[in-house]
């Protein structure tokens, strides 16, 4: 009994001591907490702690933000090309193109609008060859001739017989020159600028043995006492006719006939006749215009097929 009592009393004292120690520890902790809470650095520590928490939260889970779209990165040069005043002005008022330096200024506006490929005052480069001209007739259908100073124009510059009757001055590199009249066409592969001369004309430029020489040539408007003649093609009548002008100093730009409704321009063929397919104007007045714009009117020429009928008119020399 005594021993049990001894064990009970000792345990009670130990529990009391433990409780006292625990209370003391709590008191000490409260005092320490109060000191920290009311210390001078408390606000700073709280702010630092909050900032650190905010920064950490931002880095860890970024808040989605709506960004303004960036402006287009068009370069200044591209913008200038698209909308600059210079570009607009250039489009609205384009600069006139410069004339090729190799072509001199035209003598008259009429020649600029009426001349074909062969223009007055222009020097052309090419080569000269020669061929057997036979009786002198050719694609221009002027008929046989005793004139040996003739030439065939290359297909390109022949230009649907516009070159027929033109007088051309041909010059070789040696300085020798000759004047020829175009009566024929040199078919392909004769190149632009090429002239196929009569043997006599070629011999005035170089020895025939050379066969082919470089040349320059230009259009002439010669002085002559001849007058223009008119010929109706074989088979012509009041209902269909072909009309040809012969002996004109300057190349022809157009041929017209007078009809009940006025002057009518006739289309030109590559064999150097102007056709009236329906007979309009056949046997009436005829009007011819050269590449310089001079116009001659011819009356009293009846429909006589394949007859050369002379007139009293001729184009002026230029």
């Amino acid at each position: 009994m005594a021993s049990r009592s001894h064990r009970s009393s000792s345990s009670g004292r130990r529990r009391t001591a433990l409780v006292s120690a625990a209370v003391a520890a709590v008191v000490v902790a409260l005092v320490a907490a109060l000191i920290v809470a009311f210390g001078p650095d408390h606000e700073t520590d709280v702010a630092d702690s909050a900032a650190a928490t905010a920064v950490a939260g931002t880095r860890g889970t970024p808040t989605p933000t709506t960004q303004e779209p960036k402006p287009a990165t068009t370069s200044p040069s591209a913008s200038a090309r698209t909308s600059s005043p210079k570009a607009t002005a250039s489009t609205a008022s384009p600069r006139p193109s410069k004339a090729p330096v190799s072509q001199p200024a035209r003598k008259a506006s009429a020649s600029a609008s009426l001349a074909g490929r062969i223009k007055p005052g222009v020097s052309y480069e090419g080569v000269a060859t020669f061929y057997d001209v036979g009786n002198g007739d050719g694609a221009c259908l002027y008929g046989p001739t005793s004139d040996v100073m003739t030439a065939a124009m290359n297909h390109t510059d022949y230009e649907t017989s516009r070159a027929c009757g033109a007088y051309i001055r041909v010059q070789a590199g040696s300085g020798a020159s000759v004047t020829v009249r175009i009566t024929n066409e040199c078919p392909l592969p004769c190149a632009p600028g090429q002239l196929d001369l009569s043997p006599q004309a070629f011999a005035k430029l170089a020895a025939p043995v050379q066969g082919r020489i470089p040349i320059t040539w230009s259009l002439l408007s010669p002085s002559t006492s001849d007058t223009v003649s008119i010929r109706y093609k074989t088979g012509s009548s009041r209902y269909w006719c072909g009309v040809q002008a012969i002996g004109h100093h300057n190349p022809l730009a157009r041929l017209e006939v007078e009809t009940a409704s006025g002057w009518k321009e006739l289309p030109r063929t590559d064999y150097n006749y102007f056709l009236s397919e329906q007979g309009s104007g056949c046997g009436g007045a005829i009007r011819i215009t050269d590449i310089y714009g001079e116009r001659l009117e011819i009356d009293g020429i009846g429909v006589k097929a394949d007859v050369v009928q002379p007139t009293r008119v001729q184009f002026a020399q230029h």
Side-chain angles (χ1 to χ4, degrees):
M1 299 266 312
S3 59
R4 267 198 311 271
S5 171
H6 177 73
R7 288 196 293 269
S8 297
S9 175
S10 176
S11 296
R13 285 195 297 269
R14 281 197 297 269
R15 283 196 296 268
T16 301
L18 289 174
V19 171
S20 299
V23 171
V26 171
V27 171
V28 171
L30 288 174
V31 172
L34 291 174
I35 293 173
V36 172
F38 292 99
D41 295 332
H42 173 70
E43 293 180 2
T44 302
D45 291 343
V46 172
D48 290 344
S49 176
T53 303
V55 171
T58 302
R59 290 177 182 172
T61 54
T63 304
T65 58
T66 302
Q67 296 182 352
E68 296 183 0
K70 295 182 179 180
T73 57
T74 305
S75 64
S77 58
S79 175
R81 284 195 298 270
T82 303
S83 60
S84 68
K86 290 183 179 179
T88 302
S90 176
T91 301
S93 303
R95 296 179 181 177
S97 59
K98 296 181 180 179
V101 295
S102 61
Q103 294 192 10
R106 294 179 174 86
K107 294 183 179 180
S109 59
S111 65
S113 60
L114 297 177
R117 288 181 57 85
I118 304 175
K119 296 176 173 56
V122 178
S123 180
Y124 298 88
E125 295 183 352
V127 296
T129 52
F130 64 91
Y131 74 109
D132 182 7
V133 298
N135 63 7
D137 197 6
C140 295
L141 294 188
Y142 289 135
T145 178
S146 59
D147 181 11
V148 294
M149 292 301 149
T150 59
M153 181 63 72
N154 68 83
H155 171 77
T156 303
D157 295 323
Y158 182 78
E159 197 178 6
T160 315
S161 78
R162 286 181 70 101
C164 286
Y167 286 85
I168 303 294
R169 181 177 183 269
V170 189
Q171 186 169 11
S174 63
S177 65
V178 65
T179 298
V180 296
R181 184 169 61 100
I182 302 301
T183 60
N184 205 351
E185 175 187 8
C186 183
L188 296 173
C190 278
Q194 182 172 349
L195 293 175
D196 207 12
L197 306 176
S198 67
Q200 295 87 341
F202 187 92
K204 289 186 176 293
L205 301 176
V209 69
Q210 294 190 44
R212 182 185 183 94
I213 59 172
I215 57 167
T216 58
W217 56 271
S218 58
L219 182 67
L220 287 183
S221 177
S223 174
T224 176
S225 59
D226 296 339
T227 59
V228 177
S229 296
I230 298 295
R231 176 166 53 194
Y232 280 95
K233 195 177 188 312
T234 302
S236 293
S237 68
R238 315 181 333 179
Y239 309 104
W240 177 96
C241 66
V243 187
Q244 181 188 57
I246 305 170
H248 42 86
H249 288 182
N250 307 319
L252 289 185
R254 62 170 66 103
L255 186 147
E256 301 164 279
V257 293
E258 189 174 28
T259 68
S261 58
W263 290 100
K264 176 182 179 182
E265 182 176 354
L266 299 184
R268 191 171 197 163
T269 67
D270 59 0
Y271 51 87
N272 197 32
Y273 273 89
F274 297 81
L275 296 186
S276 177
E277 300 275 8
Q278 307 302 323
S280 298
C282 293
I286 298 171
R287 193 162 68 180
I288 56 176
T289 306
D290 69 4
I291 63 172
Y292 298 97
E294 184 179 0
R295 189 164 56 200
L296 303 176
E297 189 172 325
I298 305 165
D299 201 1
I301 302 294
V303 181
K304 298 180 181 179
D306 202 25
V307 175
V308 177
Q309 303 184 62
T311 71
R312 297 180 180 180
V313 298
Q314 181 59 272
F315 293 115
Q317 182 184 14
H318 290 267

